[in-house]
Amino acid sequence: QDFAALTKAVVSTQSTGEKESTFGGTCLNVGCIPSKALLNNSHYYHAAKHEFAARGIKVDNVEVDLPQMMKAKNDSVSALTGGIAGLFKKNSITSVKGMGTIVTPNQVIVKNTDGGRTTINTKNILIATGSEVTPFPGIEVDEKTIVSSTGALSLDKVPKSLTLIGAGVIGVELGSVWQRLGAKVTAIEFLGNIGGAGIDLEIAKTLQRSLTKQGMKFKLNTKVMSAERTPEGIKVVAENKKGKQEELTSEVLLVCVGRRPFTSGLGLDNIGVTVDPRGKIAVNERFQTNIPNIYAIGDVIDGPMLAHKAEDEGIICVEGIVGGVPHINYDCVPSVVYTHPEVAWVGKSEEDVKAAGIPYKVGSFPMAANSRSKTINDTDGLVKVIAHKETDRLLGVHIVCSVAGELINEAALAMEYGASSEDIARVCHAHPTVSEALKEACVSAYAGKAINF
């Protein structure tokens, strides 16, 4: 919502409503930003505790100062949300804080956070309200001992044990944070793989091996039957696909089974905006709803719930409103899991191309054979490239390594321009860098064999 408003400010001043007490929505307040702060600092602690000695660094009495770690997280959030407020002011955007309801196609009434009401009359309305935590039936979240991702970002102490319901992106990231800080973490996942829907299965297995080596435990193909508070902790009853049940008791239970569009209470039914059974708003290629002057972007429409996807949609949508031609290639929207090693991918998985009947070839290269990874003793992972068997055009790139989230953007750029695996294979990459692994994987796909493996 905020980025879309800034883009629109290039051509005219507009008003924007914000449901959070600060700007930035889910990502900045209770999502991407605070979780990455905790992931980064917990990784430093884990390295100091378990890796420094082998690297020739002696430290004594390494301890977690959780209040200070939370302050560092909160400071990052405050700086970024404050930055948005500054950009609003710089671009003459009028902000209204509160919960907005669309009463007509040209009018929004906001119930202000201070108790007042504001009426906004407008030519166009852009819905960018994001998403909220999906509740688990029968389990009441109190954000203390049974927590959502929001509560898991602000625990007041490191739990001795933590059970995760869900081993998707949110589960493995937040599970990693607390496992590094000392909790015994067990993840219960209904699917047969970690990392959520869309991840390449070979990549999912590679990540699971790394996280298991770090101490996390996984129970896949398992569903949660119930959860209850007991004097010993939170007791969860789980059942595997063979029907065998087991009980797990932990100090804290994290419910992370996904997110759902935040579309209830917006007044969409007042004006007849089409919403599917999942709460997602139907839009055309210009992000218009069935009401021509009402638009929607981000988590409230179809597609992956990713901040950068919503950001691009916001730009493209408002460009279209002022006469531009909207276009976005969803095959080139990357995804990242910020564990260690990181996981990132763009384009199709091997399962996708198989299901679509597309002739393909695969090139891969292990990080254990990459010079930079060897020198920094961080060799878990690989790069996997999927290319069309006949044209060599890149169809998907999948990476597991310490800097996968940075490296994936080279692949996204290449795919946006229709590159082949040979195109990347013939680009000179600096040595020694982790990015050479992407080049080697492309050499493997193009020529049938990598140079250095």
Side-chain angles (χ1 to χ4, degrees):
Q1 174 172 316
D2 303 329
F3 202 90
L6 287 170
T7 308
K8 186 72 185 299
V10 173
V11 291
S12 67
T13 301
Q14 81 156 27
S15 297
T16 180
E18 177 62 52
K19 68 179 184 293
E20 303 286 350
S21 58
T22 54
F23 296 122
T26 297
C27 177
L28 261 64
N29 288 282
V30 292
C32 323
I33 299 305
S35 63
K36 302 315 163 279
L38 291 179
L39 280 159
N40 185 64
N41 292 335
S42 64
H43 174 64
Y44 284 154
Y45 168 75
H46 186 270
K49 191 87 170 175
H50 302 285
E51 298 177 16
F52 276 13
R55 297 175 185 273
I57 304 170
K58 292 183 178 181
V59 291
D60 296 320
N61 303 318
V62 178
E63 297 179 350
V64 176
D65 183 348
L66 192 58
Q68 180 60 34
M69 189 176 288
M70 290 297 173
K71 181 181 182 300
K73 174 205 70 173
N74 294 337
D75 287 347
S76 299
V77 171
S78 296
L80 289 166
T81 55
I84 292 180
L87 288 170
F88 270 36
K89 184 177 180 180
K90 180 180 178 181
N91 288 278
S92 302
I93 297 171
T94 303
S95 64
V96 182
K97 292 185 178 181
M99 183 65 192
T101 301
I102 303 171
V103 292
T104 76
N106 298 105
Q107 189 177 84
V108 176
I109 293 179
V110 181
K111 186 181 291 184
N112 301 343
T113 53
D114 62 8
R117 293 169 72 88
T118 301
T119 298
I120 302 172
N121 296 308
T122 180
K123 182 179 179 181
N124 298 299
I125 296 172
L126 173 55
I127 301 168
T129 47
S131 59
E132 61 183 350
V133 171
T134 300
F136 193 97
I139 299 178
E140 183 180 347
V141 170
D142 62 9
E143 301 297 15
K144 293 179 180 179
T145 54
I146 300 181
V147 299
S148 69
S149 56
T150 301
L153 292 168
S154 301
L155 295 178
D156 57 9
K157 66 174 183 176
V158 178
K160 293 179 181 178
S161 53
L162 173 67
T163 299
L164 313 176
I165 302 180
V169 175
I170 296 171
V172 295
E173 286 188 354
L174 292 177
S176 288
V177 167
W178 296 108
Q179 186 274 325
R180 293 169 187 166
L181 297 180
K184 294 181 179 179
V185 178
T186 302
I188 304 169
E189 173 56 54
F190 182 76
L191 298 177
N193 62 274
I194 71 170
I199 192 172
D200 184 278
L201 293 184
E202 180 183 1
I203 297 302
K205 290 176 182 176
T206 302
L207 174 62
Q208 186 178 341
R209 281 196 296 270
S210 290
L211 296 181
T212 300
K213 188 165 59 176
Q214 292 170 29
M216 288 183 67
K217 295 181 180 179
F218 298 95
K219 296 184 180 295
L220 306 182
N221 294 304
T222 302
K223 60 183 177 181
V224 171
M225 307 302 290
S226 65
E228 63 175 323
R229 294 173 177 84
T230 71
E232 293 76 32
I234 309 302
K235 184 176 75 173
V236 174
V237 178
E239 181 179 285
N240 65 20
K241 63 180 181 180
K242 295 180 180 179
K244 182 181 178 181
Q245 291 192 352
E246 66 173 312
E247 294 181 358
L248 296 90
T249 300
S250 60
E251 188 175 347
V252 174
L253 173 65
L254 168 54
V255 181
C256 45
V257 292
R259 300 186 64 84
R260 64 184 181 184
F262 187 87
T263 52
S264 61
L266 300 181
L268 303 184
D269 51 342
N270 295 341
I271 51 173
V273 170
T274 302
V275 178
D276 72 14
R278 299 171 297 164
K280 294 203 170 189
I281 299 171
V283 295
N284 62 16
E285 69 281 355
R286 300 181 69 87
F287 302 102
Q288 288 175 300
T289 67
N290 57 309
I291 310 296
N293 70 308
I294 298 180
Y295 301 78
I297 62 161
D299 291 358
V300 298
I301 68 172
D302 205 16
M305 290 184 172
L306 299 169
H308 47 280
K309 174 249 194 192
E311 179 180 318
D312 277 15
E313 288 174 342
I315 296 169
I316 294 163
C317 176
V318 294
E319 284 180 343
I321 290 173
V322 297
V325 180
H327 170 72
I328 183 170
N329 181 0
Y330 286 107
D331 277 340
C332 293
V333 175
S335 296
V336 184
V337 184
Y338 294 89
T339 48
H340 192 91
E342 294 179 349
V343 178
W345 68 90
V346 62
K348 300 183 185 302
S349 67
E350 187 168 359
E351 290 71 35
D352 290 336
V353 292
K354 279 181 180 178
I358 300 171
Y360 71 95
K361 53 186 177 179
V362 174
S364 63
F365 190 79
M367 302 314 298
N370 174 260
S371 299
R372 183 66 186 277
S373 297
K374 292 288 280 187
T375 60
I376 62 176
N377 193 27
D378 205 343
T379 56
D380 276 5
L382 76 158
V383 177
K384 177 179 180 178
V385 169
I386 302 170
H388 197 286
K389 190 173 184 178
E390 298 164 1
T391 66
D392 193 38
R393 182 168 181 154
L394 286 172
L395 301 174
V397 175
H398 307 265
I399 305 171
V400 183
C401 75
S402 59
V403 291
E406 301 297 333
L407 186 52
I408 197 62
N409 297 294
E410 178 184 350
L413 179 63
M415 287 180 60
E416 186 67 54
Y417 281 88
S420 64
S421 64
E422 181 185 1
D423 288 330
I424 294 182
R426 293 191 179 277
V427 171
C428 185
H429 285 62
H431 174 80
T433 60
V434 179
S435 67
E436 289 178 286
L438 175 58
K439 174 178 180 174
E440 289 274 17
C442 287
V443 171
S444 175
Y446 160 62
K449 186 180 184 304
I451 296 170
N452 290 293
F453 181 68

